[in-house]
Amino acid sequence: MLKSPPRKPRPHRAGAEGIMDRAQFVEMIRELAAIPGPAGREEAVARAFAARLKDLAAEAFLDPMGNAIIKIAGQNARASLMVCAHT
C-alpha cells in the first residue's frame, strides 16, 4: 500500500488568531449536526450557529431565507471563509 508523504504545516492565516482552533470548530460542527433540522426546517440550526458565533462576529443575523450570515473581521480584508451546509 502506498503511503502519503508527510503533510507540510499550513501557513498561518491572518485574522484567525483568537477566534477558534480546529478542535473547537469540529466540536461546534458536531453540536450543530446534532440539532434536528430536516429540509425546509433548518431554522433551529441556523439560529444556534448565529448564537454560537455572535460574540465573535461584527455581524450575525438570519437573512429572509433563513440563512445564518456571520461576519467576523480578520486582519486580511481580501481573505474570507464560507461555511455552507445542506441537508
Side-chain angles (χ1 to χ4, degrees):
M1 177 176 221
L2 295 175
K3 287 188 175 183
S4 299
R7 288 186 176 186
K8 294 180 184 176
R10 291 184 178 180
H12 178 71
R13 301 253 194 271
E17 55 275 348
I19 301 242
M20 176 179 302
D21 66 25
R22 182 183 176 99
Q24 292 169 317
F25 181 76
V26 169
E27 181 59 28
M28 179 186 69
I29 296 300
R30 285 185 177 143
E31 289 172 7
L32 294 171
I35 299 170
R41 295 185 300 181
E42 303 96 342
E43 187 175 340
V45 179
R47 286 192 183 284
F49 183 59
R52 176 77 185 258
L53 295 177
K54 72 177 179 161
D55 291 338
L56 302 172
E59 226 179 317
F61 61 93
L62 297 185
D63 72 8
M65 296 300 293
N67 300 302
I69 309 295
I70 293 90
K71 296 180 181 180
I72 300 173
Q75 293 178 353
N76 185 341
R78 297 186 322 178
S80 60
L81 167 70
M82 177 181 172
V83 177
C84 181
H86 295 274
T87 58

